[in-house]
């Protein structure tokens, strides 16, 4: 059996289903380029029928990211498959990933169909998808809670209809390593046709076993794993890509498997995702957590000084973690800045570098030591724009005094003169948001807001991540500054600009359907 494991990354589809992880098409494209550099084999770029933005995101990635296979998800329905086919049409290597639930509880309570109908729909979906591409993946949703005899029947039918990858998801994170091993072995023995296709595992982390279950499936014979960077995903998340890949690399002696991942790109990719989504892995998270390579206990430090292998199973450099983070200061020039960004994995266009340099100089006047995290804050919160600025902060002044807090804000609105407003609230952020709301004039609900220090020290850059709800949809916003009120207002405007963009897209879509005589 081939020992090469196909890494199927679903950060942009299942990962994006994490609460608060929604990304704009431009953000998704940036992640997709990073995943390409990381060396993943398949990028599941989205669920094209789920929204116009998802469709655009998948389409952009399909057009621009040429090396990996680009997959679009589709339920086993004609309209889903046609939409997914249109979204991946221009990919160098397009895949349609179609799924239907197979467990009794899903068939009876959710889909309200018989086993017979389920098999018929699976066949029809795969056959239709094959009209658009030779690369068709079929997933039996909730496979781990499906009767094994029925699962074999559905899988055989899907292969007969032309599926080239068969995925058996642990949709609700319910299985255990011994059980998933049994399921994969039973399928391999019972369905000889599986030898002609790629068998895949897709595990969720509800019991904290997603990675263990994925590895068990590989040991049983699966050769594709579906995973996400930092393990983000629906509920407790998906199997973490970095943990699976490093288990395969570090325990090659035991597993005898390989992947095409450039492991040194793991950290930069993880950081990029955290910066874009505002979701940071917990400090003790394996491989990518802040403390993953920190040794606190004296005995450990002593051992490490004598021989690193006493307490270290992998060299941090293998995953792109480098010892010294202190980089630049007030006197550093454009060249040093550009070189450091390059080391962090960012190739900046001239205009982007100019903007980053201006922000860098401002920051260097406020704080002495500029670390990698500061540079990442600059790049993600000021340099690379993902959405047009409908609203832009010109100036702000706040007075703090508990419930007497007061803000004077000057905001420039697209195609209009700047306006000055006075806001009130029970704290400086509330007062500033009150001012912004007066300019925007829509009903906006603040869903959550977190403030985090990007680096240690009193002069740290504060990063604000927040979510707002507008018109029943959620939008995330992020910004960074040494002044957290300034960061909060800019983050709020970032989210409002996304909402404004979505509103304008909605109007455009309505206009288009009116033009073609639609609703
Ligand atoms: O968890 C799951 O079952 C899925 C499928 C759509 C593959 O995400
Ligand atoms: Zn899933």
């Amino acid at each position: 059996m081939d020992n090469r494991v196909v890494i199927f990354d679903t950060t942009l589809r299942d990962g994006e289903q994490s609460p608060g992880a929604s990304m704009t098409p431009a953000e998704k494209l940036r992640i997709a380029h990073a995943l390409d550099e990381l060396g993943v084999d398949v990028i599941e770029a989205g669920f094209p029928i789920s929204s116009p933005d998802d469709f655009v995101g998948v389409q952009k990635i399909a057009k621009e990211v040429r090396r990996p296979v680009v997959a679009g998800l589709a339920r086993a329905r004609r309209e889903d498959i046609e939409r997914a086919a249109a979204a991946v049409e221009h990919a160098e290597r397009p895949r349609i990933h179609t799924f239907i639930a197979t467990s009794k509880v899903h068939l009876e309570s959710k889909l309200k169909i018989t086993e017979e109908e389920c098999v018929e729909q699976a066949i029809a979906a795969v056959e239709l998808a094959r009209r658009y591409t030779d690369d068709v993946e079929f997933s039996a949703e909730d496979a781990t809670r499906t009767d094994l005899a029925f699962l074999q029947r559905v899988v055989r039918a899907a292969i007969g209809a032309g599926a080239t990858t068969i995925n058996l998801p642990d949709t609700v994170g319910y299985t255990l390593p011994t059980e998933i091993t049994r399921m994969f072995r039973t399928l391999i023995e019972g369905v000889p046709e599986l030898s002609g296709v790629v068998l895949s595992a897709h595990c969720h982390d509800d019991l904290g076993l997603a990675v263990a279950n994925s590895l068990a499936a590989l040991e049983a014979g699966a050769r594709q794993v579906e995973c996400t960077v930092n393990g983000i995903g629906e509920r407790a998340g998906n199997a973490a890509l970095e943990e699976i890949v490093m288990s395969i690399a570090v325990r090659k002696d035991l597993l005898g498997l390989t992947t095409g991942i450039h492991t040194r790109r793991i950290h930069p990719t993880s950081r990029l995702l955290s910066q874009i989504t505002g979701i940071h892995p917990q400090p003790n998270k394996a491989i990518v957590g802040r403390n993953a390579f920190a040794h606190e206990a004296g005995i450990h430090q002593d051992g490490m000084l004598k021989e690193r292998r006493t307490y270290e199973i992998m060299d941090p450099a293998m995953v792109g973690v480098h010892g010294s983070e202190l980089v630049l200061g007030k006197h550093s020039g454009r060249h040093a800045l550009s070189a450091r960004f390059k080391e962090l994995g960012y190739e900046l266009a001239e205009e982007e570098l100019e903007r980053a340099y201006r922000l860098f100089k401002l920051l260097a006047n406020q704080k002495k030591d500029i670390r990698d995290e500061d540079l990442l804050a600059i790049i993600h919160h000021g340099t690379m724009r993902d959405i047009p600025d409908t609203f832009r902060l010109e100036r702000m002044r706040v007075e703090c005094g508990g419930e007497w807090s007061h803000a004077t804000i000057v905001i420039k609105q697209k195609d209009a003169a700047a306006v000055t407003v006075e806001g009130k609230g029970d704290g400086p952020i509330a007062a500033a948001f009150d001012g912004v709301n007066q300019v925007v004039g829509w009903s906006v609900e603040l869903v959550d807001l977190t403030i985090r220090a990007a680096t240690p020290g009193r002069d740290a850059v504060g990063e604000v991540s927040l979510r707002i709800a507008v018109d029943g949809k959620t939008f995330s916003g992020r910004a960074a500054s040494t002044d957290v009120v300034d960061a909060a207002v800019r983050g709020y405007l970032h989210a409002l600009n996304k909402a404004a963009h979505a509103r304008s897209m909605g109007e455009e879509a309505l206009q288009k359907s009116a033009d073609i005589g639609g609703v």
Side-chain angles (χ1 to χ4, degrees):
M1 187 182 285
D2 190 4
N3 293 336
R4 171 70 157 72
V5 176
V6 174
I7 300 293
F8 176 115
D9 181 279
T10 183
T11 306
L12 298 174
R13 200 279 297 170
D14 227 350
E16 209 216 6
Q17 287 172 223
S18 284
S22 69
M23 294 172 241
T24 63
E27 288 170 335
K28 285 188 173 181
L29 183 61
R30 212 175 296 147
I31 300 267
H33 280 298
L35 293 171
D36 182 11
E37 280 181 43
L38 179 64
V40 307
D41 301 288
V42 185
I43 294 177
E44 184 163 57
F47 190 4
I49 199 143
S50 67
S51 73
D53 252 13
D54 233 58
F55 180 86
V56 173
V58 177
Q59 199 179 40
K60 267 183 195 280
I61 293 167
K63 281 186 181 155
E64 292 190 32
V65 184
R66 308 304 288 171
R67 184 197 53 80
V69 170
V70 176
L73 184 69
R75 286 167 298 184
R77 296 185 183 179
R78 170 173 290 280
E79 61 275 23
D80 281 41
I81 292 166
E82 286 171 352
R83 196 85 177 126
V88 298
E89 187 188 352
H90 298 290
E92 185 74 36
R93 300 160 69 199
R95 175 178 295 188
I96 297 174
H97 175 192
T98 185
F99 72 98
I100 190 164
T102 49
S103 63
K104 198 162 184 279
V105 61
H106 276 249
L107 292 185
E108 286 177 1
S109 315
K110 185 182 82 174
L111 299 175
K112 301 192 190 313
I113 56 172
T114 61
E115 289 188 344
E116 207 54 46
E117 287 166 322
C118 172
V119 173
E120 279 166 18
Q121 289 181 21
I123 293 174
V126 173
E127 282 179 351
L128 177 60
R130 275 300 298 255
R131 288 203 216 146
Y132 297 99
T133 171
D134 290 341
D135 187 344
V136 173
E137 173 168 335
F138 172 77
S139 284
E141 189 189 11
D142 207 15
T144 52
R145 291 193 301 170
T146 299
D147 170 70
L148 278 178
F150 180 58
L151 188 59
Q152 294 186 32
R153 184 174 160 210
V154 180
V155 164
R156 205 173 291 120
I159 298 174
T164 46
T165 297
I166 294 290
N167 183 39
L168 304 179
D170 183 28
T171 304
V172 288
Y174 173 73
T175 198
L176 303 179
T178 44
E179 189 181 52
I180 200 168
T181 301
R182 209 179 318 130
M183 180 180 88
F184 274 84
R185 289 210 174 124
T186 309
L187 263 284
I188 290 170
E189 279 159 23
V191 186
E193 298 91 320
L194 274 169
S195 64
V197 304
V198 176
L199 184 55
S200 169
H202 173 117
C203 300
H204 281 268
D205 210 28
D206 299 65
L207 292 174
L209 291 169
V211 172
N213 287 333
S214 304
L215 294 174
L218 289 175
E219 285 196 272
R223 283 298 172 268
Q224 172 177 287
V225 272
E226 304 198 351
C227 45
T228 60
V229 174
N230 296 345
I232 66 166
E234 187 84 40
R235 306 183 309 279
N238 287 61
L241 177 148
E242 61 279 2
E243 295 178 23
I244 294 177
V245 167
M246 292 317 292
S247 299
I248 291 174
V250 171
R251 298 311 311 271
K252 192 164 189 320
D253 58 323
L254 197 66
L255 298 171
L257 301 170
T258 60
T259 70
I261 297 295
H262 308 300
T263 60
R264 282 171 199 273
R265 297 297 311 155
I266 285 180
H267 249 255
T269 315
S270 157
R271 287 208 284 205
L272 174 69
L273 181 69
S274 311
Q275 289 289 339
I276 285 183
T277 58
I279 301 174
H280 297 266
Q282 83 263 18
N284 61 330
K285 161 89 177 61
I287 321 288
V288 293
R290 194 188 292 167
N291 297 341
F293 298 100
H295 298 271
E296 187 80 21
I299 298 175
H300 288 207
Q301 288 174 352
D302 179 52
M304 286 286 290
L305 289 173
K306 289 177 178 145
E307 166 60 65
R308 297 190 75 87
R309 279 177 305 155
T310 49
Y311 288 102
E312 205 168 74
I313 59 163
M314 66 192 115
D315 178 353
M318 255 175 101
V319 295
V321 174
H322 302 285
S324 160
E325 276 235 318
L326 211 60
V327 276
L328 305 170
K330 199 163 159 173
H331 303 294
S332 311
R334 282 182 188 71
H335 186 68
L337 186 67
S338 156
R340 188 62 200 160
F341 273 128
K342 225 177 248 171
E343 276 171 44
L344 290 171
Y346 297 84
E347 198 81 50
L348 298 191
E350 207 171 303
E351 194 190 306
E352 286 173 336
L353 178 64
E354 224 17 74
R355 202 178 147 75
Y357 186 66
R358 272 204 312 276
L359 293 170
F360 167 75
K361 281 287 176 193
L362 284 177
L363 187 61
N365 280 331
Q366 290 160 17
K367 74 189 296 250
K368 199 164 125 255
D369 302 330
I370 309 281
R371 295 163 183 262
D372 287 350
E373 295 293 344
D374 295 316
L375 295 181
L376 291 173
I378 284 178
I379 198 106
H380 287 289
H381 301 284
T383 303
M384 305 204 291
R385 287 278 162 79
D386 53 359
I387 216 82
D389 273 348
T390 305
F391 307 103
R392 202 178 66 230
L393 178 67
E394 298 263 290
R395 275 190 314 283
M396 174 177 65
R397 193 187 147 83
V398 284
E399 278 170 55
C400 310
E403 61 192 291
W404 301 101
S405 295
H406 176 262
T408 307
I409 302 198
V410 183
I411 289 182
K412 167 90 180 71
Q413 207 169 335
K414 195 172 150 215
D415 304 327
V419 287
T420 305
V421 282
E422 309 285 330
K424 283 195 221 122
D426 57 3
I429 294 180
F433 284 12
D434 178 50
V436 172
N437 288 344
Q438 293 172 37
V439 179
V440 172
W442 321 319
S443 156
V444 184
E445 184 200 341
L446 179 66
V447 180
D448 57 41
L449 181 151
T450 45
I451 302 178
R452 166 181 181 273
T455 50
R458 289 188 51 187
D459 58 0
V461 168
E463 280 180 6
V464 171
S465 309
L466 53 79
R467 285 187 304 149
I468 59 169
V470 177
D471 303 334
K473 288 201 199 114
T474 310
F475 301 92
S476 61
R478 287 170 294 282
S481 167
T482 47
D483 172 344
V484 290
V485 182
D486 178 62
V489 174
R490 289 180 196 280
Y492 195 48
L493 290 173
H494 183 213
L496 286 166
N497 283 332
K498 286 184 183 174
H501 183 61
R503 287 185 147 205
S504 70
M505 294 266 289
E507 273 161 30
E508 242 175 63
L510 270 180
Q511 187 59 46
K512 264 194 199 142
S513 52
D515 289 347
I516 56 166
V519 280

